[in-house]
Structure formats: C-alpha cells, structure tokens
Amino acid sequence: MADITRRLGWRHLRGAPTAHIRHHRAGELAHDGTGLSFWFRALTATLSEVPVDDRELAMTFHARTSDFQDVSVQATVTYRINDPAVAAARLDFSVDPDTGAWRGTPLEQLGTLLTETAQQHALAVLARTPLAAALVDGVTAVRERIAAGLAAEPRLPATGIEVVAVRVMAVRPEPEVERALRTPAREQIQQEADRATYERRAVAVQRERTIAENELDSQIELARREEQLVDQRGINTRREAEEHAAADAVRAEAEATRSVRLARAEAEGAREVGEARAQAQAAWLRVHAEVDVATLRALTATRLAENLPRIDSLTVSPDVLTGLLAKLGGGETGADA
C-alpha cells in the first residue's frame, strides 16, 4: 500500500520499490514506474498501484480419481505481474488518493483465476488416474500438468501475469481410505517385525541349545577325564602297593638271609668257642692229671681264695680264737702222728 500524506490540499505519494505506480492527471499519464515519489492533487488524479514482486499463492482443493476416490491436493503457485500496464487495464488496481488503499480486491481476483485454472488441470489428470497411482506418482503428474496448463493458459499473459513456479506438496486420500490403505502396509511391517522377532528368538534358542550342548559335552568330557583319573589313581595305588610289597619282600628276604647268616655265624662261633673251651678243658684236665695231689690242693685253695668275697676287716673274739687254736693244735698233732 502506498504511503500518502496530505499538505494544504495537496497529496504526496511515496511508493515502495516493489510497487508499480501509474498516475493519470486529467486522463493523461503523468507518472509511471516503481518506487516513485511525487505530489499530486486528489481532485484531478487517478492512481493505480500494481505489485511487481513474486507472490506465493497457496491452494487446497479436492478431486476425484478414476476409481471414484476423493483426494485433496495441496499446492503452491509462485507468480508475478510482469506487465503492470496490462494488469492495471484488466484489473482494478486503483487506490484511494487519501488513504493509499486499494478500492477493489485485485489480488483476490488473481488468486481466484490461478486457483481455478490450476484446479481444472489437476482435476483433469486425477480423473484419469486410479487412487493407488495417484498416491504414488500423483505429486509429479499433478505438478507437471498444472505447470503446463498455466503456461498454456491465454488469460494469464493477457492479464500481465507470469507463473514463476508450481509446487505440489501432497496428494492425500480421505482419512478413512488412508487408514484402510495403511492397514496392509502396517500388517506387512508387523509381520516382518514378528518374523524378525521369531528369527531372533530362534537364533537365541539355537544359541542357548548350542551353549547347553557345549556345557553337557564339557561335563561328559570332565566326567570321562575324572574316570580316567580315578582309574589312573587306582593303577598308581596298586603299582605303589606292588612296589611296596616287592620292596618289603626284598627287605624281608634280605633280613632273613641276614638272620640266617647271623645265626650261622653265631652257631659257627659258638661251635668254635665250644671246641676251644673243650680243648682248653681237655688241656686243663691233662695238666691237672699230670700234677700231684698237693699241687692240686694248693691250686684249689688258690682258686677258692680268688672266689671268696673281699674281707675288709676281721674281728676275732677270744672264743673263736681259742677254737681255731684248738683246731690248729689238733691238726698238727694228727699230722705228726
């Protein structure tokens, strides 16, 4: 909207750089261009303001596919007014000289023209397309058809309008149909998820079974090795007992041999000692047999004296001494007789 100020019956207009201003005074074109700034009198001036910037027109409309399914199309058309003079001649872009506001609704008229034209071409392409194909390739097909249709529409150049770009964001079915279409895909995804879960569980069970089998094999191998260990220990114990028995037998045999040898040596020694004693006794007897009786008595007394106990002191009473003297006297008398 143009910026208009009032000064003593005059008006001053200051336009934007994106607005094309056309000023007619008394039926003649006085100013024509963008970003203008000038004074004018309201009673003799006719002003038009045509925007020349790029504008976005969002549109949503409903269509029906070849299989009689309702869909909604969301699109955006970018356009600009490339010929402001033609647009100002075909549409009412005049502004109030006091406020600078449009007296009509030219942009709404342009929006209606573009929307109806785009909707016409979109309905034409969707009416020959089934719902499944429209949901898969409908965005591209509708965009290309709307762009081609707007480019070939003769009313747009005649109105000074240029279409810059066309974008189609979505082609959507009705909510119930969309839910119905999602169900098979969701079920398939759920089946895939369930199959993946089952496969994962099967792999886990297989791994657990493998682990259990490995543990059982380990236990069996351990038991077998323990049995071998017990057998080996029995063999070792039996071998050790046999070795001990053999050693004891050898030891007993050696001890017996030694005892026999010792007994034989003792017997031989005793025999030799006996023989020596016998020989000594025989020699002693021979010696005694050759000596006289007095000598034998003297030897006997000597031997008897040697065998008598030791007498440290001797007490002789008078009675004993008298008896001994009597015996000695009697003995001597007998000897003299």
Side-chain angles (χ1 to χ4, degrees):
M1 185 177 65
D3 183 12
I4 297 177
T5 56
R6 293 181 292 181
R7 294 289 187 275
L8 300 176
W10 288 85
R11 305 287 188 274
H12 182 271
L13 182 144
R14 183 174 59 189
T18 58
H20 188 94
I21 304 299
R22 291 175 62 84
H23 173 212
H24 290 81
R25 183 173 56 241
E28 295 182 358
L29 185 61
H31 298 90
D32 187 14
T34 58
L36 298 181
S37 180
F38 55 87
W39 291 91
F40 65 93
R41 295 184 65 88
L43 295 178
T44 59
T46 302
L47 301 175
S48 298
E49 182 182 11
V50 181
V52 293
D53 57 339
D54 291 349
R55 292 183 172 266
E56 303 285 342
L57 177 62
M59 58 185 71
T60 300
F61 50 87
H62 295 276
R64 180 167 292 181
T65 61
S66 62
D67 48 0
F68 304 101
Q69 298 296 325
D70 292 334
V71 295
S72 59
V73 180
Q74 296 178 356
T76 300
V77 175
T78 303
Y79 70 96
R80 73 167 66 98
I81 299 175
N82 60 349
D83 194 343
V86 175
R90 298 295 300 271
L91 299 174
D92 185 11
F93 283 96
S94 62
V95 298
D96 190 328
D98 292 329
T99 61
W102 278 316
R103 291 177 175 174
T105 56
L107 294 182
E108 293 182 3
Q109 295 177 4
L110 286 178
T112 301
L113 174 62
L114 291 173
T115 300
E116 291 179 352
T117 304
Q119 184 174 0
Q120 176 184 356
H121 294 288
L123 293 177
V125 68
L126 290 174
R128 297 190 300 271
T129 306
L131 178 62
L135 295 179
V136 175
D137 300 324
V139 173
T140 302
V142 171
R143 183 181 67 249
E144 292 176 354
R145 182 60 182 271
I146 292 176
L150 292 178
E153 178 64 33
R155 288 190 59 189
L156 299 182
T159 314
I161 300 173
E162 177 187 3
V163 176
V164 178
V166 176
R167 298 188 301 277
V168 177
M169 279 70 72
V171 176
R172 296 181 179 276
E174 294 295 324
E176 295 79 4
V177 177
E178 186 174 5
R179 285 194 295 270
L181 292 175
R182 287 178 179 178
T183 301
R186 288 182 177 178
E187 291 180 353
Q188 184 177 0
I189 293 173
Q190 187 64 38
Q191 292 176 0
E192 294 291 335
D194 294 340
R195 184 167 60 253
T197 301
Y198 296 150
E199 291 178 355
R200 185 168 61 252
R201 290 179 179 175
V203 171
V205 171
Q206 181 65 29
R207 289 179 179 176
E208 290 179 357
R209 183 167 61 243
T210 303
I211 292 173
E213 291 178 354
N214 293 334
E215 291 179 353
L216 183 59
D217 293 340
S218 300
Q219 293 177 1
I220 294 174
E221 182 65 20
L222 182 59
R224 187 179 62 82
R225 292 188 178 183
E226 288 180 353
E227 182 180 1
Q228 293 178 354
L229 180 61
V230 170
D231 294 340
Q232 187 63 39
R233 285 179 178 175
I235 293 172
N236 294 339
T237 303
R238 186 168 57 253
R239 184 178 300 172
E240 184 177 359
E242 291 176 354
E243 291 179 355
H244 284 311
D248 292 340
V250 172
R251 189 180 302 108
E253 184 178 359
E255 187 68 25
T257 304
R258 178 174 160 293
S259 298
V260 171
R261 290 179 180 177
L262 183 60
R264 288 179 181 177
E266 289 180 353
E268 185 67 24
R271 185 179 59 78
E272 292 180 356
V273 170
E275 291 179 355
R277 287 180 179 177
Q279 292 177 0
Q281 189 68 26
W284 184 79
L285 291 174
R286 285 195 302 270
V287 171
H288 284 73
E290 295 177 356
V291 298
D292 54 4
V293 178
T295 304
L296 290 175
R297 288 180 178 177
L299 290 174
T300 302
T302 303
R303 182 65 56 87
L304 180 60
E306 291 177 357
N307 294 325
L308 289 174
R310 181 179 179 182
I311 300 173
D312 294 330
S313 63
L314 180 63
T315 304
V316 180
S317 63
D319 295 335
V320 174
L321 182 58
T322 302
L324 287 176
L325 289 176
K327 289 180 180 181
L328 288 176
E332 289 179 358
T333 303
D336 290 335

